Amino acid sequence: DPFTAAAVLAAGGVRGTLADTLRTRVREGLTEGDHVRLSTKGSVVGIDGYRPSAAHATALAVLALIDDPAAKDKLAGLGNTLLASYRPAVGWGSGRANLAALAAVTALFADPLPDRVNVQLFNGEEVVAETLLAGPGRTERHEAQAWAPKAVGTPTWRVVATPPVPGLAFSLTVDYRVPWKAAPPAGLTLVAQWTGQPKVGEPLPVTLIADGPRGAQLKVRYALPAGVQPVQSDLTRLVSEGTIQRFSVDAGGVELSLPARAPGSAAKVPFRVVPTFAGRLQAEASTVGLASRSGPGVYVAPKTWVIAKP
């Protein structure tokens, strides 16, 4: 079978005509689809008596064919499959699979990296972003951002490295925005009030006014733009005073639990926030909902912050 043939060749146990016969068997056992790999169909077992994993079989295929001129066009695909099957928690699986995979990877990617590698992101035939890998940064993570042009139909994305570099891994994330559309009020409102110009490093008093059905507990998420931080001592004081029941703070804003209110009174939550850098910044949409119901509730239009330098 192709797996056993690859194992024998990788161990260096044969030469001459028999080695050529086994290499042919390994080449015929390669399957191509989304990935190039070595087939392990049938009653194939490894030296430990268990069915070998796809990663183990692919690694042995690389070691068996690394010097085979007839398999030169298959090695890149096998290498891609091997790199794609690596998992940080378990590597390539068993100890034998890891040993074979490490040997295969070091054999395939033994050549030193070029001094400079230009990486381009294509949308169709247009270059929308590019980055240069050079010097010590060749092995570091790089990020490139670009506006995606409006396209008719399904866009085609390509990543091209010049010169081509084996083992270059990438991920692509496409994000999008839609125009804001206000949701029906549904008896829930949230308004944020402050006066004056927000400035870097200066506490800005903000008052949240939340209203909803009488006698109902409310949950509020007040979204803040990047770099604007609430003064947590103010929120702790509001808990001790009974204005809010509890709070939590994350990178995108603050979440508040409000107690039930008497009829005819909206909840007012005053606290301070401190901007940490200047600019025109956009927060996400805030929300207000009933604590007794799952889901965020009603979305409130996002607010643009214009923060001045100190």
Side-chain angles (χ1 to χ4, degrees):
D1 62 86
F3 173 81
T4 305
V8 173
L9 287 167
V14 292
R15 297 285 186 276
T17 303
L18 180 55
D20 293 338
T21 301
L22 295 183
R23 290 191 190 98
T24 301
R25 191 158 299 174
V26 173
R27 291 195 303 270
E28 292 173 347
L30 299 179
T31 61
E32 297 189 49
D34 293 337
H35 300 282
V36 181
R37 63 185 67 207
L38 184 65
S39 173
T40 56
K41 293 181 179 180
S43 57
V44 177
V45 295
I47 195 171
D48 55 3
Y50 293 95
R51 175 176 291 278
S53 66
H56 192 183
T58 301
L60 290 180
V62 170
L63 297 175
L65 302 176
I66 191 71
D67 295 322
D68 183 5
K72 186 176 181 180
D73 61 332
K74 306 296 184 182
L75 289 175
L78 290 169
N80 288 339
T81 300
L82 204 54
L83 291 177
S85 62
Y86 177 83
R87 297 294 179 267
V90 297
W92 283 280
S94 68
R96 292 185 182 277
N98 279 324
L99 182 61
L102 286 171
V105 167
T106 53
L108 275 177
F109 306 120
D111 294 337
L113 291 173
D115 293 334
R116 297 163 64 90
V117 180
N118 190 47
V119 181
Q120 295 175 308
L121 173 63
F122 284 80
N123 181 280
E125 298 302 318
E126 180 183 359
V127 177
V128 295
E130 61 183 313
T131 185
L132 179 66
L133 312 183
R138 289 173 297 174
T139 58
E140 296 176 358
R141 176 179 180 272
H142 290 256
E143 182 173 310
Q145 296 184 350
W147 289 104
K150 294 182 179 179
V152 178
T154 303
T156 301
W157 299 90
R158 291 185 297 128
V159 175
V160 177
T162 307
V165 179
L168 177 65
F170 68 91
S171 63
L172 173 67
T173 301
V174 180
D175 202 358
Y176 65 93
R177 298 289 186 268
V178 296
W180 170 260
K181 184 178 180 181
L188 295 163
T189 60
L190 176 66
V191 177
Q193 296 179 341
W194 72 76
T195 59
Q197 171 76 57
K199 292 184 179 180
V200 171
E202 296 185 9
L204 175 71
V206 174
T207 299
L208 301 182
I209 303 174
D211 202 0
R214 303 303 176 225
Q217 296 178 335
L218 301 180
K219 57 182 179 181
V220 170
R221 175 171 177 79
Y222 181 51
L224 293 169
V228 178
Q229 302 172 356
V231 177
Q232 297 199 34
S233 60
D234 289 358
L235 298 171
T236 302
R237 175 179 50 80
L238 292 174
V239 172
S240 63
E241 294 174 352
T243 304
I244 62 177
Q245 294 175 315
R246 56 186 175 274
F247 72 90
S248 63
V249 176
D250 57 39
V254 56
E255 295 188 3
L256 308 170
S257 294
L258 309 183
R261 300 164 324 287
S265 63
K268 293 185 178 181
V269 184
F271 60 98
R272 294 171 297 168
V273 299
V274 180
T276 57
F277 52 82
R280 185 180 180 89
L281 306 176
Q282 181 74 51
E284 295 181 350
S286 299
T287 62
V288 56
L290 299 178
S292 59
R293 296 183 181 177
S294 61
V298 173
Y299 287 92
V300 181
K303 191 173 184 64
T304 300
W305 291 60
V306 181
I307 302 172
K309 296 180 180 180

